[in-house]
Amino acid sequence: MSAVVLSLLVVLGLAGCGGDPFQAGDGTDGALVVGSADFAESELVMEIYAAALRGTGAEVETKPRIGARESYVNAAAQGELTVIPDYTGNLLQYLDPQSTATESEQVYDEVKRRLPPGLDVLEQSPAEDSDVLTVTRRTAESGVRSMADLGPRCGQFTLGAPAEWKSRWEQRIGEVYGCRFHEIRNLEAGSVTVDALVEDTIQVANLFTTSSQISENDLVELDDPADMFPAQHVVPLIGRNRLTPPQAAALNRASRALTTEKLTELNRRLEVDKANPADLAREFVAGI
């Protein structure tokens, strides 16, 4: 058992000592409590889960923007959250930082094996929101369409990526693809990074696969033939035995319908059209 899981079990044993940010709505009144992490896509998927559960006749309370994984994993294990969306690769890294699993089913299976008592996951969705290296169409047409193509040419390019990319991936991309960038600039994945790529201030950008800005700016995602980046499927993290079989089945149906393409389009409507996430969720669930 990893040190992270052991520390989580200690936290669970100390539950009830001190203040609790979830105390006002911990699910003990019969309502199912659906939460989200502190970013827009997680809140959107939270609303999808809530709409699916309401379709079974359940009373549902939402708690958006809870914060970091440490907070919501503990809350779910303590029964203060019924369900929250997570991502398989990042959840596995949290549970077992030494894991080297990258392939979809392998990552999912390891997550299930490493979850502490009180937690479970339902079916993983086809939708993934994983790291992806992107280039402009011009760079792709020069012969860079995969990370294998990129490797020998990395010395010509500057990468724009979030601050944690360097410690997490710089050594690994060198080992796997022989890639050593001319420079790595700390840029948050988003419009600033995309602008820098389009303006040729950087030549490679680390973005995420459901970003609407990839298609909006005609960027090219580089294939990752060696699976350096782990699978990151959207998955419902649940408190064990907190859902009835019909409720779990409703979430599984929603998960099966959520593809990367569909999630990307929902994100585009959220980011570009400024649509309301609850409205998008109700529309999505009504169509499955």
Side-chain angles (χ1 to χ4, degrees):
M1 185 176 291
S2 74
V4 172
V5 174
L6 285 172
S7 65
L8 177 56
L9 293 177
V10 171
V11 170
L12 299 184
L14 295 175
C17 301
D20 183 352
F22 298 93
Q23 190 173 8
D26 62 2
T28 57
D29 58 358
L32 303 179
V33 184
V34 186
S36 84
D38 193 17
F39 58 97
E41 181 177 283
S42 183
E43 184 175 359
L44 171 65
V45 181
M46 174 197 74
E47 294 288 0
I48 289 173
Y49 292 171
L53 290 169
R54 289 187 180 112
T56 70
E59 179 185 352
V60 179
E61 176 185 355
T62 57
K63 287 190 174 292
R65 308 285 180 142
I66 289 168
R69 185 168 281 105
E70 291 80 359
S71 296
Y72 66 70
V73 169
N74 288 343
Q78 294 170 28
E80 297 162 346
L81 282 177
T82 310
V83 59
I84 188 166
D86 211 331
Y87 300 85
T88 52
N90 287 339
L91 182 56
L92 178 57
Q93 180 68 20
Y94 170 79
L95 295 169
D96 182 7
Q98 305 308 313
S99 175
T100 58
T102 59
E103 188 273 328
S104 175
E105 289 303 319
Q106 182 187 23
V107 170
Y108 179 69
D109 289 345
E110 288 202 21
V111 165
K112 288 180 72 70
R113 283 196 297 269
R114 284 164 171 72
L115 283 169
L119 290 175
D120 205 349
V121 288
L122 297 180
E123 293 180 16
Q124 64 177 354
S125 169
E128 281 196 83
D129 188 2
S130 60
D131 289 84
V132 63
L133 296 187
T134 61
V135 297
T136 61
R137 181 72 55 184
R138 179 178 179 180
T139 299
E141 290 173 352
S142 77
V144 180
R145 291 189 171 272
S146 74
M147 290 166 69
D149 297 332
L150 176 68
R153 296 179 59 181
C154 278
Q156 306 169 28
F157 298 141
T158 295
L159 169 71
E164 65 270 16
W165 201 95
K166 195 165 188 174
S167 60
R168 186 176 296 175
W169 297 116
E170 183 178 24
Q171 179 177 342
R172 183 68 176 149
I173 198 172
E175 295 168 349
V176 175
Y177 291 112
C179 171
R180 287 170 177 78
F181 287 106
H182 171 70
E183 182 184 353
I184 299 177
R185 294 188 185 171
N186 293 340
L187 296 171
E188 287 305 313
S191 58
V192 172
T193 302
V194 171
D195 289 347
L197 183 62
V198 171
E199 294 166 4
D200 201 36
T201 305
I202 60 174
Q203 292 74 48
V204 183
N206 187 91
L207 298 174
F208 296 97
T209 49
T210 61
S211 170
S212 62
Q213 297 189 64
I214 295 175
S215 59
E216 292 284 314
N217 291 275
D218 193 32
L219 304 180
V220 177
E221 298 182 17
L222 299 185
D223 292 334
D224 178 14
D227 292 328
M228 185 189 88
F229 293 129
Q232 296 283 7
H233 291 275
V234 181
V235 67
L237 176 67
I238 65 170
R240 187 165 291 169
N241 301 322
R242 295 295 309 282
L243 296 173
T244 66
Q247 290 165 354
L251 289 181
N252 285 334
R253 281 195 299 273
S255 288
R256 290 184 210 121
L258 190 63
T259 63
T260 302
E261 293 74 18
K262 186 61 179 177
L263 185 54
T264 302
E265 171 59 16
L266 290 170
N267 276 329
R268 187 199 65 76
R269 293 176 63 186
L270 196 65
E271 297 164 359
V272 178
D273 299 341
K274 308 302 181 185
N276 181 283
D279 292 340
L280 291 176
R282 284 190 291 269
E283 177 185 320
F284 172 79
V285 171
I288 62 177

